[in-house]
Amino acid sequence: MTTTMVPEKGAAGAPAIAPHVRGYVERVRGGDLGALPAVTGLVVLCAVFSVLRPAFLSPINFANLFTQGAAVAIIAMGLIFVLLLGEIDLSAGFASGVCAAVLGVLLTNEGWPWYAAVLAAMATGAAIGLVLGTLVAKLGIPSFVVTLAAFLAFQGVVLLLLKEGTNISIRDQTILAIANKNMPPVLGWVCVAAGVLAYAALQIMQARRRTARGLSAVPTSLIAFRVGTLAVISGVAVFLLNLERSRNAAIVSLKGVPIVVPVIVVLLVVLTFVLQRTAYGRHIYAVGGNAEAARRAGINVDRIRISAFVICSFMASAGGVIAASRANSVDPNTGGSNVLLFAVGAAVIGGTSLFGGKGRALDALLGGAVVAVIENGMGLMGYTSGVKYAVTGCVLLLAAGVDALSRKRAAATGRR
Amino acid sequence: MSQAPVLDLRGIHKSFGPVQVLHDVAFSVYPGEVTALVGDNGAGKSTLVKCIGGIYPIDSGEYFFEGEKVQVGGPRDAAALGVEIVYQDLALCDNLDIVQNMFLGRERRSGLILDEATMEELAARTLDGLAVRTVTSLRQRVSSLSGGQRQTVAIAKAVLWNSKVVILDEPTAALGVAQTAQVLDLVRRLADRGLAVVLISHNMNDVFAVSDRVAALYLGRMAAQVKTSEVTHSQVVELITAGRSGELGLQNGNGATS
């Protein structure tokens, strides 16, 4: 334990950054690509679309990207938990549809207050996950089959709830606000400042504590780089979102960060915390990496499996509420057609492995952004839905291919 | 040795459906000694170990730990007693790093949050205590380690918990010459620190290199449990293959009748 016991000293007495850079390059070479493909893809796609269609860069389109991609990204964040175990949930899309239908029926037909209806929708999501997870973990039916059956069944449940396909419109202002209203511009800046400061404080505190105990810590320059990146990205995003994007500002002003953005950010932070900083999250990775090892370590593998499905369906219900808010209504197609495949695609494009054991909550956002940009950009280019589907399918295949290849390469270099 | 056994099994029976795997097995393990558990394929070594570790419940028989009769209903019970098993297939998670693997299932926490710093310190101290110098970083993923390093991590994981009995299931089976020597060295050091070590092995060289006692299983029966210094290489082989060797071993022929 020579190197870990003696923190590597840089020239100024601070830990050096070089080993971290070298470590990252080695990881990428060894097949652990992480977020690299998604970020590269995002940059390339954005560059291509903004050159071909300058409207892509307009503030209104930028804001649209967030509201378009929100539901898929949130469902994808939940799917990450299931994917980490090496399982799949094909029913997440229609689970979100069922929850949205529950919300719509309770809200509009039964006249429930919004918070009660949302609570009921999310409880429905959790209950769906509990059933699916129990079938997978206790009965041992492959998750592919269980959730494929649920995919079909939920499609029917949505139709039943909506009385054979009537469209229920949502009129509750609070629910509508989630995807359609914006934060005051000032509040956007306050949130960015608070978020960046909190992140910086956490990173510095952690590094200090580790250095004080003689453990190798992240060098200050790397912390500065991370904090800087976060500040620049969030700053630019908020700046763009705070621009006036109404066609006629005199009639109605349209600016500020869409309310759905902080919702996503909070969910991202919470799920990342759960996965990276709690024993529960560690156990999820362990079960995904080697279920037998986890069992022998005394981890209740069944309970972990069931809970992952509960989280997945719960997040799907949140996605359903947001989809209903954005569409101003619930119809039999809510959560249907491409939602699930986009969500799985988002997770995989973001770098989550379909083989389990590898992935982060952030992957869902990165991948979700790629999917949303493709959808949005190709729409602007005037391509038909047919072309959009085909291209998204190819991108998903490409991402899964990268996953499989990097896994192969990792096995070859001993970094599976 | 006059010391009392730390782990003492008496009259253990275990069957899987119609197949009886262990017949009336007695097995004792002493602190500060390496007890080699030998036997041919299918003799019941792995089953016995899994019964000790609480993975399989025993059908009948008595389980004494430090002189007291105990019930072991699951892996956590065995771990609570201080019995740790290092399995042949290692039971490490490739996607986690060394520290994460060593603390898997027993993570240190402060409140809700994992206490990574303390875990890393303890892991470093344990590996230092075992004089392990072959790993460069504790934050390396296990997937990037060699077979010998993995075995080292698995053994270090077992001794991290102030365990009293460490059972190693074929720790050298997949290793090269140099790595085998390293691991055997480590096994000897564990016993010298006062732990009771059980070494399952097919390799007679390993058995005679490090063990103090040999226990030979033959078709689910304990053929003999003797001091290594009192038997020869060929006697142990006879015990493994025939269940008896001269005065030693099962005296009623092939041991299949009872």
Side-chain angles (χ1 to χ4, degrees):
Chain A
M1 290 345 315
T2 45
T3 49
T4 43
M5 295 309 291
V6 186
E8 292 156 51
K9 299 281 178 188
I17 192 164
H20 285 267
V21 175
R22 218 179 310 126
Y24 179 73
V25 172
E26 256 172 40
R27 276 207 304 280
V28 169
R29 280 198 170 164
D32 185 3
L33 296 174
L36 198 60
V39 172
T40 315
L42 202 56
V43 170
V44 170
L45 283 170
C46 287
V48 169
F49 284 133
S50 31
V51 168
L52 294 176
R53 283 287 177 278
F56 178 79
L57 278 184
S58 65
I60 184 147
N61 194 52
F62 188 65
N64 272 348
L65 271 177
F66 284 93
T67 45
Q68 276 174 352
V72 164
I74 286 175
I75 295 172
M77 275 198 259
L79 265 171
I80 300 261
F81 279 76
V82 171
L83 292 175
L84 275 176
L85 299 182
E87 308 277 357
I88 185 94
D89 184 355
L90 297 174
S91 69
F94 274 113
S96 78
V98 169
C99 297
V102 167
L103 177 83
V105 169
L106 292 179
L107 211 54
T108 306
N109 296 5
E110 307 291 328
W112 285 30
W114 68 269
Y115 48 87
V118 168
L119 219 59
M122 293 194 151
T124 310
I128 288 172
L130 190 63
V131 172
L132 296 177
T134 308
L135 288 172
V136 171
K138 296 290 183 192
L139 283 189
I141 312 174
S143 58
F144 178 81
V145 179
V146 170
T147 58
L148 186 61
F151 170 84
L152 292 171
F154 291 162
Q155 205 167 353
V157 171
V158 175
L159 282 174
L160 292 175
L161 282 172
L162 297 178
K163 304 282 184 297
E164 294 304 319
T166 43
N167 180 327
I168 299 183
S169 58
I170 306 270
R171 286 185 288 272
D172 185 276
Q173 288 309 312
T174 317
I175 299 295
L176 289 181
I178 301 173
N180 298 307
K181 287 281 188 311
N182 306 303
M183 298 201 296
V186 179
L187 190 58
W189 285 117
V190 171
C191 287
V192 166
V196 171
L197 282 179
Y199 180 70
L202 276 177
Q203 290 268 314
I204 291 169
M205 259 165 55
Q206 199 183 9
R208 282 240 176 103
R209 215 176 303 142
R210 287 182 63 90
T211 315
R213 299 178 76 157
L215 298 166
S216 67
V218 180
T220 319
S221 46
L222 189 58
I223 293 179
F225 174 73
R226 286 178 182 165
V227 173
T229 311
L230 179 71
V232 168
I233 291 177
S234 54
V236 168
V238 168
F239 173 75
L240 289 173
L241 291 171
N242 278 348
L243 292 176
E244 182 60 59
R245 53 179 184 268
S246 170
R247 290 221 172 74
N248 194 340
I251 298 171
V252 55
S253 174
L254 197 60
K255 60 182 176 183
V257 178
I259 289 172
V260 71
V261 173
V263 171
I264 294 177
V265 171
V266 167
L267 286 171
L268 173 71
V269 170
V270 170
L271 293 187
T272 302
F273 172 80
V274 167
L275 282 178
Q276 307 301 333
R277 292 274 171 265
T278 67
Y280 171 75
R282 181 68 40 84
H283 294 171
I284 294 241
Y285 282 101
V287 172
N290 187 342
E292 182 57 23
R295 197 176 67 83
R296 286 179 186 172
I299 295 168
N300 189 333
V301 175
D302 285 356
R303 205 185 303 161
I304 296 283
R305 282 230 165 83
I306 295 172
S307 66
F309 277 93
V310 170
I311 290 174
C312 179
S313 299
F314 179 81
M315 291 297 287
S317 73
V321 171
I322 283 163
S325 165
R326 177 172 153 73
N328 293 358
S329 68
V330 181
D331 64 49
N333 266 329
T334 308
S337 62
N338 49 12
V339 169
L340 170 82
L341 291 178
F342 277 6
V344 175
V348 175
I349 290 168
T352 295
S353 174
L354 285 168
F355 304 98
K358 186 173 140 247
R360 296 170 306 167
L362 181 63
D363 292 348
L365 279 201
L366 290 173
V370 171
V371 171
V373 164
I374 293 175
E375 167 103 341
N376 175 294
M378 296 196 68
L380 286 177
M381 308 255 308
Y383 286 112
T384 56
S385 305
V387 180
K388 279 198 273 184
Y389 281 144
V391 169
T392 314
C394 290
V395 170
L396 172 55
L397 205 56
L398 189 70
V402 169
D403 177 26
L405 279 178
S406 72
R407 215 176 124 82
K408 243 181 161 174
R409 183 166 174 91
T413 54
R415 282 177 177 275
R416 196 149 26 96
Chain B
M1 195 164 288
S2 57
Q3 245 175 322
V6 55
L7 175 75
D8 199 8
L9 302 180
R10 293 176 201 163
I12 300 291
H13 287 268
K14 174 71 192 170
S15 46
F16 295 104
V19 185
Q20 186 154 15
V21 185
L22 297 179
H23 304 259
D24 194 21
V25 169
F27 185 50
S28 310
V29 183
Y30 297 84
E33 291 192 1
V34 177
T35 306
L37 181 60
V38 297
D40 216 340
N41 289 338
K45 303 184 299 285
S46 294
T47 307
L48 179 60
V49 164
K50 283 180 176 163
C51 287
I52 295 172
I55 308 268
Y56 297 150
I58 51 177
D59 293 345
S60 65
E62 292 173 310
Y63 192 130
F64 289 90
F65 194 83
E66 294 186 319
E68 284 182 34
K69 193 174 172 183
V70 290
Q71 293 289 335
V72 175
R76 275 179 191 269
D77 290 354
L81 288 174
V83 178
E84 290 288 334
I85 304 181
V86 180
Y87 292 97
Q88 197 171 4
D89 43 358
L90 295 182
L92 296 176
C93 290
D94 276 351
N95 59 335
L96 301 182
D97 66 31
I98 295 175
V99 179
Q100 291 172 342
N101 263 295
M102 285 176 70
F103 281 87
L104 188 60
R106 292 177 278 200
E107 290 84 0
R108 288 293 168 96
R109 281 180 281 185
S110 53
L112 197 64
I113 304 168
L114 292 171
D115 188 353
E116 299 284 357
T118 304
M119 288 198 276
E120 197 168 322
E121 276 179 354
L122 286 171
R125 207 176 302 154
T126 305
L127 285 169
D128 265 353
L130 294 173
V132 172
R133 312 218 176 277
T134 52
V135 261
T136 46
S137 165
L138 281 178
R139 287 297 175 187
Q140 250 177 309
R141 289 226 185 121
V142 164
S143 56
S144 66
L145 300 180
S146 72
Q149 288 173 324
R150 283 164 187 243
Q151 196 68 58
T152 305
V153 170
I155 294 173
K157 178 183 177 183
V159 298
L160 183 63
W161 305 100
N162 295 323
S163 39
K164 293 168 182 138
V165 178
V166 174
I167 302 174
L168 306 165
D169 190 356
E170 303 231 23
T172 59
L175 301 185
V177 177
Q179 294 187 331
T180 298
Q182 269 174 22
V183 169
L184 289 181
D185 199 30
L186 182 56
V187 168
R188 194 59 248 175
R189 249 175 284 146
L190 294 183
D192 293 345
R193 281 174 43 166
L195 273 76
V197 182
V198 177
L199 174 74
I200 299 182
S201 185
H202 268 127
N203 188 326
M204 283 308 125
N205 293 329
D206 293 0
V207 170
F208 279 90
V210 293
S211 72
D212 301 293
R213 277 168 206 270
V214 181
L217 276 171
Y218 177 71
L219 297 178
R221 290 162 199 280
M222 189 56 77
Q225 203 169 357
V226 291
K227 289 204 169 173
T228 312
S229 54
E230 293 166 1
V231 287
T232 64
H233 201 293
S234 58
Q235 275 180 308
V236 175
V237 173
E238 276 181 59
L239 284 170
I240 293 171
T241 53
R244 57 181 298 181
S245 171
E247 293 297 298
L248 285 170
L250 301 161
Q251 297 305 319
N252 58 348
N254 63 7
T257 55
S258 61

